[in-house]
Amino acid sequence: MSSESPSFLYSIAFFVAFAIPEALNILLPAFGDAVTQRRVKVERAYPPLLLPVIVTGVTVEKVTSSISPINRDRSELPKAITHEPPQKPQIPIHFPAIIDDLDPMAKEPVRVLVTGAAGQIGYALVPMIARGIMLGADQPVILHMLDIPPAAEALNGVKMELIDAAFPLLKGVVATTDAVEGCTGVNVAVMVGGFPRKEGMERKDVMTKNVSIYKSQATALEKHAAPNCKVLVVANPANTNALILKEFAPSIPEKNITCLTRLDHNRALGQISERLSVPVSDVKNVIIWGNHSSSQYPDVNHAKVQTSAGEKPVRELVKNDEYLNGEFITTVQQRGAAIIKARKLSSALSAASSACDHIRDWVLGTPEGTFVSMGVYSDGSYDVPAGLIYSFPVTCRNGEWSIVQGLPIDEMSRKKMDLTAEELKEEKDLAYSCLS
């Protein structure tokens, strides 16, 4: 019966509570401090985990001070362990808590909505999100996939593939054709679904269809999304769809509703990279001003390239203003049409990757000294009319974006920025006429 004696049980409990974590500190020095700090936190939150000490009359305060990260020497452990009458624990013992707290996957999952998830872009996007490309390699996610009823079967096929891929970060999948179910509790919404322009359709016909779609989805987000939900509109006309969504989701802060111009931004980076035969990662600070359309203005006046001699302006390295003011701009503006001509399908992979870049920088922050392009609600910066969703250069920190201020604007840039703003005003007026 000696194996069941109190002394033996106390020894086993002491071993579980202290010896194993101490061994981890020795064997895994890279993680030692994190493990110790988490162990101490749990010990303070769950005093019963110190049961072998409590029942022998040693106070919790003595023990926690003895095992602090500053004082790990076993010779300093309390010597006052005796066999005094046991005291009743104040909280039930919950050993799984110590395991949960040491689990690197213990972050709460983020719920990410993708509309039009059965389509081309959606199919490319959802595995990127599930793999951690959008929110980070340590951030679990629950995917909400929403599409129209005719796409329900294809949507279920996407869900099956996500399950089959066994993504460690993917903690759940909601696949639905119901907007309320799709929007409930989401922290991030990527609005890929929209009505594309078809042959023979007038511009107003397309706008009317999309106004109806975004009014409905905005209402669902307004009522059912998580507080402070971040929204990215991808479907064209992206800027104006975002504006409509803002109108019908008034409780979502205007700073939380954006549209995708990061695709155009990345296209501009790629063109400079190709022109100079440098890695695209060495190019930064191009700007897309205005609308996600052929009126956009890709601007390299503030762009830089990392060289062996330090950062150099793009114009200084390219040494061809005729190209930068002409062919470069039209190539970026017309890149989507060129891809459709080549693939017989619109951009999908690059659009999905750019959506991940947009959200990742927004949530996790932009690198120091780097700005990116986002379609955001204009506050009048750079004399752009307030109340438009317009692409600006921004930096991101702590989950918030800020428009980069004070950049010099030359005469050519001013004209092109005004031209794309005028197109956005026309789109806004057309959208509001559809509403009425």
Side-chain angles (χ1 to χ4, degrees), residues 7-21 49 51-53 63 67 74 77-78 81:
S7 296
F8 181 79
L9 294 176
Y10 299 157
S11 299
I12 292 297
F14 184 89
F15 180 79
V16 170
F18 298 108
I20 292 176
L49 290 173
L51 180 61
V53 181
V63 175
I67 61 166
R74 287 185 176 280
L77 284 172
I81 298 178

mmCIF file with all atom_site columns, all heavy atoms in Angstrom, residues 7-21 49 51-53 63 67 74 77-78 81:
data_model
loop_
_atom_site.group_PDB
_atom_site.id
_atom_site.type_symbol
_atom_site.label_atom_id
_atom_site.label_alt_id
_atom_site.label_comp_id
_atom_site.label_asym_id
_atom_site.label_entity_id
_atom_site.label_seq_id
_atom_site.pdbx_PDB_ins_code
_atom_site.Cartn_x
_atom_site.Cartn_y
_atom_site.Cartn_z
_atom_site.occupancy
_atom_site.B_iso_or_equiv
_atom_site.pdbx_formal_charge
_atom_site.auth_seq_id
_atom_site.auth_comp_id
_atom_site.auth_asym_id
_atom_site.auth_atom_id
_atom_site.pdbx_PDB_model_num
ATOM 1   N N   . SER A 1 7  ? 2.726  10.661 0.894   1.00 0.00 ? 7  SER A N   1
ATOM 2   C CA  . SER A 1 7  ? 4.033  11.167 0.470   1.00 0.00 ? 7  SER A CA  1
ATOM 3   C C   . SER A 1 7  ? 4.297  10.862 -0.988  1.00 0.00 ? 7  SER A C   1
ATOM 4   O O   . SER A 1 7  ? 4.818  11.697 -1.733  1.00 0.00 ? 7  SER A O   1
ATOM 5   C CB  . SER A 1 7  ? 5.138  10.539 1.336   1.00 0.00 ? 7  SER A CB  1
ATOM 6   O OG  . SER A 1 7  ? 4.996  10.944 2.673   1.00 0.00 ? 7  SER A OG  1
ATOM 7   N N   . PHE A 1 8  ? 3.919  9.637  -1.406  1.00 0.00 ? 8  PHE A N   1
ATOM 8   C CA  . PHE A 1 8  ? 4.145  9.249  -2.800  1.00 0.00 ? 8  PHE A CA  1
ATOM 9   C C   . PHE A 1 8  ? 3.306  10.108 -3.744  1.00 0.00 ? 8  PHE A C   1
ATOM 10  O O   . PHE A 1 8  ? 3.786  10.588 -4.772  1.00 0.00 ? 8  PHE A O   1
ATOM 11  C CB  . PHE A 1 8  ? 3.815  7.769  -2.986  1.00 0.00 ? 8  PHE A CB  1
ATOM 12  C CG  . PHE A 1 8  ? 4.043  7.284  -4.386  1.00 0.00 ? 8  PHE A CG  1
ATOM 13  C CD1 . PHE A 1 8  ? 5.330  6.986  -4.846  1.00 0.00 ? 8  PHE A CD1 1
ATOM 14  C CD2 . PHE A 1 8  ? 2.985  7.143  -5.256  1.00 0.00 ? 8  PHE A CD2 1
ATOM 15  C CE1 . PHE A 1 8  ? 5.533  6.560  -6.135  1.00 0.00 ? 8  PHE A CE1 1
ATOM 16  C CE2 . PHE A 1 8  ? 3.187  6.722  -6.546  1.00 0.00 ? 8  PHE A CE2 1
ATOM 17  C CZ  . PHE A 1 8  ? 4.476  6.424  -6.987  1.00 0.00 ? 8  PHE A CZ  1
ATOM 18  N N   . LEU A 1 9  ? 2.032  10.325 -3.400  1.00 0.00 ? 9  LEU A N   1
ATOM 19  C CA  . LEU A 1 9  ? 1.148  11.131 -4.249  1.00 0.00 ? 9  LEU A CA  1
ATOM 20  C C   . LEU A 1 9  ? 1.639  12.565 -4.323  1.00 0.00 ? 9  LEU A C   1
ATOM 21  O O   . LEU A 1 9  ? 1.600  13.201 -5.379  1.00 0.00 ? 9  LEU A O   1
ATOM 22  C CB  . LEU A 1 9  ? -0.284 11.094 -3.708  1.00 0.00 ? 9  LEU A CB  1
ATOM 23  C CG  . LEU A 1 9  ? -0.985 9.729  -3.770  1.00 0.00 ? 9  LEU A CG  1
ATOM 24  C CD1 . LEU A 1 9  ? -2.347 9.805  -3.117  1.00 0.00 ? 9  LEU A CD1 1
ATOM 25  C CD2 . LEU A 1 9  ? -1.103 9.273  -5.215  1.00 0.00 ? 9  LEU A CD2 1
ATOM 26  N N   . TYR A 1 10 ? 2.130  13.096 -3.194  1.00 0.00 ? 10 TYR A N   1
ATOM 27  C CA  . TYR A 1 10 ? 2.632  14.463 -3.220  1.00 0.00 ? 10 TYR A CA  1
ATOM 28  C C   . TYR A 1 10 ? 3.845  14.557 -4.141  1.00 0.00 ? 10 TYR A C   1
ATOM 29  O O   . TYR A 1 10 ? 4.016  15.519 -4.886  1.00 0.00 ? 10 TYR A O   1
ATOM 30  C CB  . TYR A 1 10 ? 3.042  14.903 -1.821  1.00 0.00 ? 10 TYR A CB  1
ATOM 31  C CG  . TYR A 1 10 ? 1.920  14.902 -0.793  1.00 0.00 ? 10 TYR A CG  1
ATOM 32  C CD1 . TYR A 1 10 ? 2.191  14.815 0.571   1.00 0.00 ? 10 TYR A CD1 1
ATOM 33  C CD2 . TYR A 1 10 ? 0.589  15.010 -1.216  1.00 0.00 ? 10 TYR A CD2 1
ATOM 34  C CE1 . TYR A 1 10 ? 1.180  14.828 1.497   1.00 0.00 ? 10 TYR A CE1 1
ATOM 35  C CE2 . TYR A 1 10 ? -0.438 15.022 -0.292  1.00 0.00 ? 10 TYR A CE2 1
ATOM 36  C CZ  . TYR A 1 10 ? -0.148 14.911 1.078   1.00 0.00 ? 10 TYR A CZ  1
ATOM 37  O OH  . TYR A 1 10 ? -1.134 14.929 1.990   1.00 0.00 ? 10 TYR A OH  1
ATOM 38  N N   . SER A 1 11 ? 4.682  13.536 -4.109  1.00 0.00 ? 11 SER A N   1
ATOM 39  C CA  . SER A 1 11 ? 5.880  13.546 -4.956  1.00 0.00 ? 11 SER A CA  1
ATOM 40  C C   . SER A 1 11 ? 5.514  13.549 -6.428  1.00 0.00 ? 11 SER A C   1
ATOM 41  O O   . SER A 1 11 ? 6.112  14.259 -7.238  1.00 0.00 ? 11 SER A O   1
ATOM 42  C CB  . SER A 1 11 ? 6.758  12.323 -4.627  1.00 0.00 ? 11 SER A CB  1
ATOM 43  O OG  . SER A 1 11 ? 7.175  12.363 -3.275  1.00 0.00 ? 11 SER A OG  1
ATOM 44  N N   . ILE A 1 12 ? 4.528  12.722 -6.794  1.00 0.00 ? 12 ILE A N   1
ATOM 45  C CA  . ILE A 1 12 ? 4.087  12.667 -8.197  1.00 0.00 ? 12 ILE A CA  1
ATOM 46  C C   . ILE A 1 12 ? 3.534  14.022 -8.627  1.00 0.00 ? 12 ILE A C   1
ATOM 47  O O   . ILE A 1 12 ? 3.851  14.542 -9.704  1.00 0.00 ? 12 ILE A O   1
ATOM 48  C CB  . ILE A 1 12 ? 3.007  11.576 -8.383  1.00 0.00 ? 12 ILE A CB  1
ATOM 49  C CG1 . ILE A 1 12 ? 3.633  10.180 -8.190  1.00 0.00 ? 12 ILE A CG1 1
ATOM 50  C CG2 . ILE A 1 12 ? 2.387  11.683 -9.773  1.00 0.00 ? 12 ILE A CG2 1
ATOM 51  C CD1 . ILE A 1 12 ? 4.700  9.828  -9.207  1.00 0.00 ? 12 ILE A CD1 1
ATOM 52  N N   . ALA A 1 13 ? 2.686  14.616 -7.792  1.00 0.00 ? 13 ALA A N   1
ATOM 53  C CA  . ALA A 1 13 ? 2.091  15.909 -8.133  1.00 0.00 ? 13 ALA A CA  1
ATOM 54  C C   . ALA A 1 13 ? 3.163  16.987 -8.263  1.00 0.00 ? 13 ALA A C   1
ATOM 55  O O   . ALA A 1 13 ? 3.112  17.837 -9.158  1.00 0.00 ? 13 ALA A O   1
ATOM 56  C CB  . ALA A 1 13 ? 1.057  16.300 -7.076  1.00 0.00 ? 13 ALA A CB  1
ATOM 57  N N   . PHE A 1 14 ? 4.137  16.953 -7.344  1.00 0.00 ? 14 PHE A N   1
ATOM 58  C CA  . PHE A 1 14 ? 5.233  17.926 -7.407  1.00 0.00 ? 14 PHE A CA  1
ATOM 59  C C   . PHE A 1 14 ? 6.017  17.766 -8.711  1.00 0.00 ? 14 PHE A C   1
ATOM 60  O O   . PHE A 1 14 ? 6.373  18.738 -9.367  1.00 0.00 ? 14 PHE A O   1
ATOM 61  C CB  . PHE A 1 14 ? 6.166  17.716 -6.206  1.00 0.00 ? 14 PHE A CB  1
ATOM 62  C CG  . PHE A 1 14 ? 7.271  18.735 -6.142  1.00 0.00 ? 14 PHE A CG  1
ATOM 63  C CD1 . PHE A 1 14 ? 7.078  19.922 -5.478  1.00 0.00 ? 14 PHE A CD1 1
ATOM 64  C CD2 . PHE A 1 14 ? 8.498  18.498 -6.760  1.00 0.00 ? 14 PHE A CD2 1
ATOM 65  C CE1 . PHE A 1 14 ? 8.080  20.869 -5.423  1.00 0.00 ? 14 PHE A CE1 1
ATOM 66  C CE2 . PHE A 1 14 ? 9.502  19.449 -6.710  1.00 0.00 ? 14 PHE A CE2 1
ATOM 67  C CZ  . PHE A 1 14 ? 9.300  20.633 -6.044  1.00 0.00 ? 14 PHE A CZ  1
ATOM 68  N N   . PHE A 1 15 ? 6.240  16.511 -9.111  1.00 0.00 ? 15 PHE A N   1
ATOM 69  C CA  . PHE A 1 15 ? 6.965  16.231 -10.348 1.00 0.00 ? 15 PHE A CA  1
ATOM 70  C C   . PHE A 1 15 ? 6.228  16.816 -11.560 1.00 0.00 ? 15 PHE A C   1
ATOM 71  O O   . PHE A 1 15 ? 6.822  17.452 -12.421 1.00 0.00 ? 15 PHE A O   1
ATOM 72  C CB  . PHE A 1 15 ? 7.134  14.719 -10.508 1.00 0.00 ? 15 PHE A CB  1
ATOM 73  C CG  . PHE A 1 15 ? 7.878  14.333 -11.762 1.00 0.00 ? 15 PHE A CG  1
ATOM 74  C CD1 . PHE A 1 15 ? 9.265  14.425 -11.836 1.00 0.00 ? 15 PHE A CD1 1
ATOM 75  C CD2 . PHE A 1 15 ? 7.176  13.907 -12.877 1.00 0.00 ? 15 PHE A CD2 1
ATOM 76  C CE1 . PHE A 1 15 ? 9.935  14.082 -12.984 1.00 0.00 ? 15 PHE A CE1 1
ATOM 77  C CE2 . PHE A 1 15 ? 7.843  13.568 -14.027 1.00 0.00 ? 15 PHE A CE2 1
ATOM 78  C CZ  . PHE A 1 15 ? 9.225  13.652 -14.083 1.00 0.00 ? 15 PHE A CZ  1
ATOM 79  N N   . VAL A 1 16 ? 4.903  16.615 -11.615 1.00 0.00 ? 16 VAL A N   1
ATOM 80  C CA  . VAL A 1 16 ? 4.106  17.095 -12.747 1.00 0.00 ? 16 VAL A CA  1
ATOM 81  C C   . VAL A 1 16 ? 4.111  18.624 -12.795 1.00 0.00 ? 16 VAL A C   1
ATOM 82  O O   . VAL A 1 16 ? 4.254  19.234 -13.845 1.00 0.00 ? 16 VAL A O   1
ATOM 83  C CB  . VAL A 1 16 ? 2.652  16.564 -12.660 1.00 0.00 ? 16 VAL A CB  1
ATOM 84  C CG1 . VAL A 1 16 ? 1.767  17.264 -13.682 1.00 0.00 ? 16 VAL A CG1 1
ATOM 85  C CG2 . VAL A 1 16 ? 2.642  15.058 -12.881 1.00 0.00 ? 16 VAL A CG2 1
ATOM 86  N N   . ALA A 1 17 ? 3.954  19.253 -11.591 1.00 0.00 ? 17 ALA A N   1
ATOM 87  C CA  . ALA A 1 17 ? 3.791  20.706 -11.561 1.00 0.00 ? 17 ALA A CA  1
ATOM 88  C C   . ALA A 1 17 ? 5.087  21.464 -11.788 1.00 0.00 ? 17 ALA A C   1
ATOM 89  O O   . ALA A 1 17 ? 5.071  22.557 -12.326 1.00 0.00 ? 17 ALA A O   1
ATOM 90  C CB  . ALA A 1 17 ? 3.159  21.118 -10.231 1.00 0.00 ? 17 ALA A CB  1
ATOM 91  N N   . PHE A 1 18 ? 6.233  20.871 -11.363 1.00 0.00 ? 18 PHE A N   1
ATOM 92  C CA  . PHE A 1 18 ? 7.469  21.642 -11.394 1.00 0.00 ? 18 PHE A CA  1
ATOM 93  C C   . PHE A 1 18 ? 8.612  20.995 -12.157 1.00 0.00 ? 18 PHE A C   1
ATOM 94  O O   . PHE A 1 18 ? 9.299  21.646 -12.926 1.00 0.00 ? 18 PHE A O   1
ATOM 95  C CB  . PHE A 1 18 ? 7.939  21.934 -9.964  1.00 0.00 ? 18 PHE A CB  1
ATOM 96  C CG  . PHE A 1 18 ? 6.942  22.755 -9.191  1.00 0.00 ? 18 PHE A CG  1
ATOM 97  C CD1 . PHE A 1 18 ? 6.200  22.178 -8.181  1.00 0.00 ? 18 PHE A CD1 1
ATOM 98  C CD2 . PHE A 1 18 ? 6.730  24.078 -9.511  1.00 0.00 ? 18 PHE A CD2 1
ATOM 99  C CE1 . PHE A 1 18 ? 5.282  22.939 -7.487  1.00 0.00 ? 18 PHE A CE1 1
ATOM 100 C CE2 . PHE A 1 18 ? 5.811  24.835 -8.824  1.00 0.00 ? 18 PHE A CE2 1
ATOM 101 C CZ  . PHE A 1 18 ? 5.074  24.270 -7.798  1.00 0.00 ? 18 PHE A CZ  1
ATOM 102 N N   . ALA A 1 19 ? 8.822  19.698 -11.951 1.00 0.00 ? 19 ALA A N   1
ATOM 103 C CA  . ALA A 1 19 ? 10.011 19.067 -12.525 1.00 0.00 ? 19 ALA A CA  1
ATOM 104 C C   . ALA A 1 19 ? 9.971  19.070 -14.047 1.00 0.00 ? 19 ALA A C   1
ATOM 105 O O   . ALA A 1 19 ? 10.971 19.331 -14.701 1.00 0.00 ? 19 ALA A O   1
ATOM 106 C CB  . ALA A 1 19 ? 10.146 17.635 -11.990 1.00 0.00 ? 19 ALA A CB  1
ATOM 107 N N   . ILE A 1 20 ? 8.804  18.749 -14.640 1.00 0.00 ? 20 ILE A N   1
ATOM 108 C CA  . ILE A 1 20 ? 8.704  18.706 -16.105 1.00 0.00 ? 20 ILE A CA  1
ATOM 109 C C   . ILE A 1 20 ? 8.963  20.077 -16.720 1.00 0.00 ? 20 ILE A C   1
ATOM 110 O O   . ILE A 1 20 ? 9.771  20.211 -17.642 1.00 0.00 ? 20 ILE A O   1
ATOM 111 C CB  . ILE A 1 20 ? 7.343  18.126 -16.541 1.00 0.00 ? 20 ILE A CB  1
ATOM 112 C CG1 . ILE A 1 20 ? 7.287  16.630 -16.159 1.00 0.00 ? 20 ILE A CG1 1
ATOM 113 C CG2 . ILE A 1 20 ? 7.119  18.322 -18.032 1.00 0.00 ? 20 ILE A CG2 1
ATOM 114 C CD1 . ILE A 1 20 ? 5.962  15.970 -16.456 1.00 0.00 ? 20 ILE A CD1 1
ATOM 115 N N   . PRO A 1 21 ? 8.281  21.165 -16.242 1.00 0.00 ? 21 PRO A N   1
ATOM 116 C CA  . PRO A 1 21 ? 8.610  22.476 -16.808 1.00 0.00 ? 21 PRO A CA  1
ATOM 117 C C   . PRO A 1 21 ? 10.067 22.865 -16.628 1.00 0.00 ? 21 PRO A C   1
ATOM 118 O O   . PRO A 1 21 ? 10.666 23.493 -17.500 1.00 0.00 ? 21 PRO A O   1
ATOM 119 C CB  . PRO A 1 21 ? 7.671  23.422 -16.049 1.00 0.00 ? 21 PRO A CB  1
ATOM 120 C CG  . PRO A 1 21 ? 6.516  22.551 -15.643 1.00 0.00 ? 21 PRO A CG  1
ATOM 121 C CD  . PRO A 1 21 ? 7.115  21.216 -15.342 1.00 0.00 ? 21 PRO A CD  1
ATOM 122 N N   . LEU A 1 49 ? -3.097 24.048 -8.575  1.00 0.00 ? 49 LEU A N   1
ATOM 123 C CA  . LEU A 1 49 ? -2.033 23.317 -9.247  1.00 0.00 ? 49 LEU A CA  1
ATOM 124 C C   . LEU A 1 49 ? -0.816 23.173 -8.333  1.00 0.00 ? 49 LEU A C   1
ATOM 125 O O   . LEU A 1 49 ? 0.087  22.410 -8.614  1.00 0.00 ? 49 LEU A O   1
ATOM 126 C CB  . LEU A 1 49 ? -1.641 24.028 -10.537 1.00 0.00 ? 49 LEU A CB  1
ATOM 127 C CG  . LEU A 1 49 ? -2.700 23.965 -11.640 1.00 0.00 ? 49 LEU A CG  1
ATOM 128 C CD1 . LEU A 1 49 ? -2.284 24.843 -12.801 1.00 0.00 ? 49 LEU A CD1 1
ATOM 129 C CD2 . LEU A 1 49 ? -2.889 22.534 -12.090 1.00 0.00 ? 49 LEU A CD2 1
ATOM 130 N N   . LEU A 1 51 ? -1.065 22.013 -5.373  1.00 0.00 ? 51 LEU A N   1
ATOM 131 C CA  . LEU A 1 51 ? -1.652 21.154 -4.351  1.00 0.00 ? 51 LEU A CA  1
ATOM 132 C C   . LEU A 1 51 ? -0.617 20.518 -3.435  1.00 0.00 ? 51 LEU A C   1
ATOM 133 O O   . LEU A 1 51 ? -0.778 20.543 -2.218  1.00 0.00 ? 51 LEU A O   1
ATOM 134 C CB  . LEU A 1 51 ? -2.508 20.072 -5.011  1.00 0.00 ? 51 LEU A CB  1
ATOM 135 C CG  . LEU A 1 51 ? -3.201 19.096 -4.062  1.00 0.00 ? 51 LEU A CG  1
ATOM 136 C CD1 . LEU A 1 51 ? -4.152 19.840 -3.144  1.00 0.00 ? 51 LEU A CD1 1
ATOM 137 C CD2 . LEU A 1 51 ? -3.913 18.020 -4.843  1.00 0.00 ? 51 LEU A CD2 1
ATOM 138 N N   . PRO A 1 52 ? 0.491  19.925 -3.946  1.00 0.00 ? 52 PRO A N   1
ATOM 139 C CA  . PRO A 1 52 ? 1.436  19.272 -3.041  1.00 0.00 ? 52 PRO A CA  1
ATOM 140 C C   . PRO A 1 52 ? 2.044  20.234 -2.035  1.00 0.00 ? 52 PRO A C   1
ATOM 141 O O   . PRO A 1 52 ? 2.483  19.830 -0.971  1.00 0.00 ? 52 PRO A O   1
ATOM 142 C CB  . PRO A 1 52 ? 2.510  18.716 -3.974  1.00 0.00 ? 52 PRO A CB  1
ATOM 143 C CG  . PRO A 1 52 ? 2.379  19.506 -5.222  1.00 0.00 ? 52 PRO A CG  1
ATOM 144 C CD  . PRO A 1 52 ? 0.930  19.827 -5.338  1.00 0.00 ? 52 PRO A CD  1
ATOM 145 N N   . VAL A 1 53 ? 2.081  21.517 -2.361  1.00 0.00 ? 53 VAL A N   1
ATOM 146 C CA  . VAL A 1 53 ? 2.628  22.484 -1.430  1.00 0.00 ? 53 VAL A CA  1
ATOM 147 C C   . VAL A 1 53 ? 1.537  22.987 -0.494  1.00 0.00 ? 53 VAL A C   1
ATOM 148 O O   . VAL A 1 53 ? 1.745  23.121 0.701   1.00 0.00 ? 53 VAL A O   1
ATOM 149 C CB  . VAL A 1 53 ? 3.258  23.662 -2.207  1.00 0.00 ? 53 VAL A CB  1
ATOM 150 C CG1 . VAL A 1 53 ? 3.845  24.674 -1.248  1.00 0.00 ? 53 VAL A CG1 1
ATOM 151 C CG2 . VAL A 1 53 ? 4.332  23.134 -3.144  1.00 0.00 ? 53 VAL A CG2 1
ATOM 152 N N   . VAL A 1 63 ? 5.960  29.796 -2.735  1.00 0.00 ? 63 VAL A N   1
ATOM 153 C CA  . VAL A 1 63 ? 6.337  28.959 -3.869  1.00 0.00 ? 63 VAL A CA  1
ATOM 154 C C   . VAL A 1 63 ? 6.536  29.789 -5.116  1.00 0.00 ? 63 VAL A C   1
ATOM 155 O O   . VAL A 1 63 ? 7.513  29.645 -5.824  1.00 0.00 ? 63 VAL A O   1
ATOM 156 C CB  . VAL A 1 63 ? 5.266  27.882 -4.103  1.00 0.00 ? 63 VAL A CB  1
ATOM 157 C CG1 . VAL A 1 63 ? 5.590  27.092 -5.356  1.00 0.00 ? 63 VAL A CG1 1
ATOM 158 C CG2 . VAL A 1 63 ? 5.187  26.956 -2.903  1.00 0.00 ? 63 VAL A CG2 1
ATOM 159 N N   . ILE A 1 67 ? 9.969  30.151 -7.588  1.00 0.00 ? 67 ILE A N   1
ATOM 160 C CA  . ILE A 1 67 ? 10.130 29.620 -8.944  1.00 0.00 ? 67 ILE A CA  1
ATOM 161 C C   . ILE A 1 67 ? 10.061 30.715 -9.999  1.00 0.00 ? 67 ILE A C   1
ATOM 162 O O   . ILE A 1 67 ? 9.850  30.447 -11.155 1.00 0.00 ? 67 ILE A O   1
ATOM 163 C CB  . ILE A 1 67 ? 9.050  28.562 -9.250  1.00 0.00 ? 67 ILE A CB  1
ATOM 164 C CG1 . ILE A 1 67 ? 7.664  29.190 -9.150  1.00 0.00 ? 67 ILE A CG1 1
ATOM 165 C CG2 . ILE A 1 67 ? 9.176  27.379 -8.344  1.00 0.00 ? 67 ILE A CG2 1
ATOM 166 C CD1 . ILE A 1 67 ? 6.587  28.325 -9.760  1.00 0.00 ? 67 ILE A CD1 1
ATOM 167 N N   . ARG A 1 74 ? 17.336 25.169 -7.750  1.00 0.00 ? 74 ARG A N   1
ATOM 168 C CA  . ARG A 1 74 ? 16.553 24.214 -6.957  1.00 0.00 ? 74 ARG A CA  1
ATOM 169 C C   . ARG A 1 74 ? 16.890 24.336 -5.462  1.00 0.00 ? 74 ARG A C   1
ATOM 170 O O   . ARG A 1 74 ? 16.063 24.039 -4.615  1.00 0.00 ? 74 ARG A O   1
ATOM 171 C CB  . ARG A 1 74 ? 16.830 22.790 -7.422  1.00 0.00 ? 74 ARG A CB  1
ATOM 172 C CG  . ARG A 1 74 ? 16.186 22.477 -8.752  1.00 0.00 ? 74 ARG A CG  1
ATOM 173 C CD  . ARG A 1 74 ? 16.375 21.022 -9.106  1.00 0.00 ? 74 ARG A CD  1
ATOM 174 N NE  . ARG A 1 74 ? 15.676 20.729 -10.328 1.00 0.00 ? 74 ARG A NE  1
ATOM 175 C CZ  . ARG A 1 74 ? 14.378 20.507 -10.402 1.00 0.00 ? 74 ARG A CZ  1
ATOM 176 N NH1 . ARG A 1 74 ? 13.639 20.566 -9.327  1.00 0.00 ? 74 ARG A NH1 1
ATOM 177 N NH2 . ARG A 1 74 ? 13.805 20.244 -11.552 1.00 0.00 ? 74 ARG A NH2 1
ATOM 178 N N   . LEU A 1 77 ? 14.334 26.282 -3.525  1.00 0.00 ? 77 LEU A N   1
ATOM 179 C CA  . LEU A 1 77 ? 12.958 25.836 -3.326  1.00 0.00 ? 77 LEU A CA  1
ATOM 180 C C   . LEU A 1 77 ? 12.653 25.774 -1.837  1.00 0.00 ? 77 LEU A C   1
ATOM 181 O O   . LEU A 1 77 ? 13.541 25.526 -1.027  1.00 0.00 ? 77 LEU A O   1
ATOM 182 C CB  . LEU A 1 77 ? 12.738 24.460 -3.961  1.00 0.00 ? 77 LEU A CB  1
ATOM 183 C CG  . LEU A 1 77 ? 12.613 24.449 -5.482  1.00 0.00 ? 77 LEU A CG  1
ATOM 184 C CD1 . LEU A 1 77 ? 12.611 23.017 -5.980  1.00 0.00 ? 77 LEU A CD1 1
ATOM 185 C CD2 . LEU A 1 77 ? 11.361 25.166 -5.939  1.00 0.00 ? 77 LEU A CD2 1
ATOM 186 N N   . PRO A 1 78 ? 11.371 26.010 -1.460  1.00 0.00 ? 78 PRO A N   1
ATOM 187 C CA  . PRO A 1 78 ? 11.040 26.038 -0.037  1.00 0.00 ? 78 PRO A CA  1
ATOM 188 C C   . PRO A 1 78 ? 11.409 24.744 0.669   1.00 0.00 ? 78 PRO A C   1
ATOM 189 O O   . PRO A 1 78 ? 11.207 23.658 0.147   1.00 0.00 ? 78 PRO A O   1
ATOM 190 C CB  . PRO A 1 78 ? 9.526  26.270 -0.044  1.00 0.00 ? 78 PRO A CB  1
ATOM 191 C CG  . PRO A 1 78 ? 9.074  25.911 -1.406  1.00 0.00 ? 78 PRO A CG  1
ATOM 192 C CD  . PRO A 1 78 ? 10.203 26.185 -2.323  1.00 0.00 ? 78 PRO A CD  1
ATOM 193 N N   . ILE A 1 81 ? 8.496  22.005 3.655   1.00 0.00 ? 81 ILE A N   1
ATOM 194 C CA  . ILE A 1 81 ? 7.481  21.009 3.332   1.00 0.00 ? 81 ILE A CA  1
ATOM 195 C C   . ILE A 1 81 ? 7.362  20.014 4.474   1.00 0.00 ? 81 ILE A C   1
ATOM 196 O O   . ILE A 1 81 ? 8.307  19.306 4.803   1.00 0.00 ? 81 ILE A O   1
ATOM 197 C CB  . ILE A 1 81 ? 7.824  20.283 2.017   1.00 0.00 ? 81 ILE A CB  1
ATOM 198 C CG1 . ILE A 1 81 ? 7.830  21.303 0.878   1.00 0.00 ? 81 ILE A CG1 1
ATOM 199 C CG2 . ILE A 1 81 ? 6.869  19.157 1.758   1.00 0.00 ? 81 ILE A CG2 1
ATOM 200 C CD1 . ILE A 1 81 ? 8.206  20.719 -0.445  1.00 0.00 ? 81 ILE A CD1 1
#
